[in-house]
Amino acid sequence: MAAGGGAARRCWRSGAGLAGAVRGICGSGRATAAVRAEELAERLRKSEEQQREIPKDPTQRWLRELAAMSQQLQQVHPNVLAKILKQRTLYQNEEIVVIDKPYGLPVHGGPGIKNCIADVLPILAKMLENMKAEPLHLCHRLDKETTGVMVLARSKEAAEKIRLLFKTRQVEKIYWAIVLGDPDPVEGVVEIPIVEKEVQSHQSHYKMTLAPNYRLCPEDGKVMRIRGNRHAERAVTRYRRLAAASACSLLELQPITGVKHQIRVHLAYGLGCPILGDHKYSHWSKLAPQKLPEHTLRRLKLEQSKARHLPLHLHAHRLCLPLGQPLDFVCKLPLFFQKTLRKLELDIPKD
């Protein structure tokens, strides 16, 4: 109402009125301006109520709850976030703390990020031990949208030791992902270097992509070695299919190397099976929501126009850490991941 009233007052002071859509407000006097302003305020109020209204459709409700959870993690006080992480602690000893990382929480800070795991490590350490506890230390990272097992160290020395284990590939990491399509073959190894490149489009952006050392000879179709990109990093990912249904597959993945976005790139561009909800790597030349098969949309009871709300279905399921004796940590799937498996009729293996 204040915005509409302010416009009317400016019209009266100017004596000439405003052009276009608001010309009628000035011409019909202060009373009409007040009515228009009240109508505008009422429309805004109804719009806000509709946005707050809980959708009747279960799928829409599920997607909205997940989006709200991610937003809430960015809005809570750091002490509250540290308490959430404390509640999600899977294991701790004198060297390490293992947590179940929630969806939508970044590990590191950056533009537009208010809360991240790195910022609350000093608070979390005090909650777990005592007020004089040293801050916890990051040993590795997971993407903002990735859930599951994450290891923190209680000291710099322990952090350096664990980082070395990751660097020398002594840590066994197992991920689960729901992907579009069916990989061919259903089990194997993707070994293709990865490099970061700028995508030239109407909205330029950067993505990780494949930088293969081989290509097909146009003359005879034979595989021939080519000169590698000097900026590319070696990347190796083992995979095997655990289940297939509804034009999707549940895959178990073991990244041997640790390149940024390695699993997502190898699945999308190496196997042609992008992760469900991976809108970044479902296209190369554009930023757009993932295009889902009709059968998948039907099983999810989802319209294509709402596919942009689907979360990334990538979960750090298991991690084996050789600290003296091997420590094996398994983290159950988040609720949204379990719901998707049921909707798609993808059976979780019993073993």
Side-chain angles (χ1 to χ4, degrees), residues 119-137:
D119 288 347
V120 299
L121 292 183
I123 307 171
L124 179 60
K126 291 175 181 177
M127 286 184 175
L128 291 172
E129 197 170 343
N130 56 57
M131 294 305 291
K132 296 181 180 179
E134 287 187 31
L136 294 165
H137 301 268

Side-chain angles (χ1 to χ4, degrees), residues 325-343:
Q325 61 179 14
L327 298 173
D328 204 358
F329 308 108
V330 175
C331 190
K332 69 178 184 179
L333 293 167
L335 190 59
F336 78 86
F337 202 119
Q338 295 178 41
K339 285 183 177 180
T340 302
L341 288 174
R342 288 195 295 270
K343 287 173 180 286

Side-chain angles (χ1 to χ4, degrees), residues 21-282:
V22 297
R23 185 175 294 147
I25 294 177
C26 300
S28 56
R30 194 182 299 269
T32 306
V35 172
R36 294 283 178 86
E38 287 176 1
E39 290 176 354
L40 176 61
E42 180 66 15
R43 285 201 299 270
L44 289 171
R45 185 184 63 78
K46 287 182 178 179
S47 176
E48 289 174 357
E49 286 180 353
Q50 289 172 357
Q51 289 175 3
R52 288 194 299 267
E53 185 181 347
I54 299 174
K56 294 180 180 179
D57 180 74
T59 301
Q60 297 300 320
R61 191 162 60 243
W62 160 58
L63 292 174
R64 181 171 293 188
E65 286 170 0
L66 196 64
M69 183 183 72
S70 300
Q71 292 171 359
Q72 288 166 3
L73 288 173
Q74 286 298 302
Q75 294 168 355
V76 299
H77 190 277
N79 288 354
V80 177
L81 180 57
K83 188 175 182 180
I84 292 170
L85 296 180
K86 179 187 176 183
Q87 293 169 346
R88 300 175 74 96
T89 298
L90 303 175
Y91 173 86
Q92 58 179 310
N93 64 15
E94 66 280 356
E95 282 193 298
I96 63 171
V97 173
V98 181
I99 63 170
D100 173 9
K101 179 191 168 299
Y103 176 85
L105 180 63
V107 174
H108 297 282
I113 294 175
K114 295 180 180 179
N115 278 332
C116 66
I117 292 177
D119 288 347
V120 299
L121 292 183
I123 307 171
L124 179 60
K126 291 175 181 177
M127 286 184 175
L128 291 172
E129 197 170 343
N130 56 57
M131 294 305 291
K132 296 181 180 179
E134 287 187 31
L136 294 165
H137 301 268
L138 294 171
C139 301
H140 62 122
R141 68 183 298 277
L142 294 175
D143 289 346
K144 174 185 173 182
E145 298 87 359
T146 304
T147 57
V149 184
M150 186 168 183
V151 181
L152 307 169
R154 289 193 182 274
S155 65
K156 289 182 179 179
E157 294 75 22
E160 289 172 1
K161 180 165 63 174
I162 294 167
R163 286 173 195 144
L164 183 61
L165 291 174
F166 274 97
K167 187 176 181 180
T168 54
R169 300 167 192 163
Q170 297 182 60
V171 179
E172 183 181 357
K173 299 168 288 182
I174 300 295
Y175 290 74
W176 280 10
I178 300 176
V179 303
L180 301 183
D182 198 11
D184 184 18
V186 295
E187 182 174 352
V189 177
V190 181
E191 185 171 0
I192 309 174
I194 291 175
V195 68
E196 187 170 33
K197 287 186 176 180
E198 183 178 7
V199 180
Q200 299 291 345
S201 66
H202 69 284
Q203 190 178 356
S204 293
H205 57 285
Y206 285 87
K207 282 183 183 176
M208 308 302 288
T209 190
L210 302 178
N213 294 326
Y214 296 87
R215 69 176 178 87
L216 294 177
C217 180
E219 286 79 19
D220 53 17
K222 292 183 178 179
V223 176
M224 57 181 291
R225 189 174 180 86
I226 61 175
R227 184 177 180 180
N229 187 315
R230 62 189 180 92
H231 298 294
E233 296 182 70
R234 181 171 179 258
V236 184
T237 307
R238 287 194 185 120
Y239 73 92
R240 71 183 180 108
R241 189 185 69 186
L242 301 177
S246 309
C248 293
S249 301
L250 173 64
L251 301 187
E252 180 183 84
L253 304 140
Q254 182 182 6
I256 307 303
T257 54
V259 180
K260 178 183 177 183
H261 294 173
Q262 173 181 315
I263 291 176
R264 298 165 66 180
V265 173
H266 272 174
L267 291 180
Y269 302 149
L271 289 175
C273 296
I275 299 174
L276 182 66
D278 194 350
H279 309 290
K280 181 176 182 118
Y281 289 106
S282 292

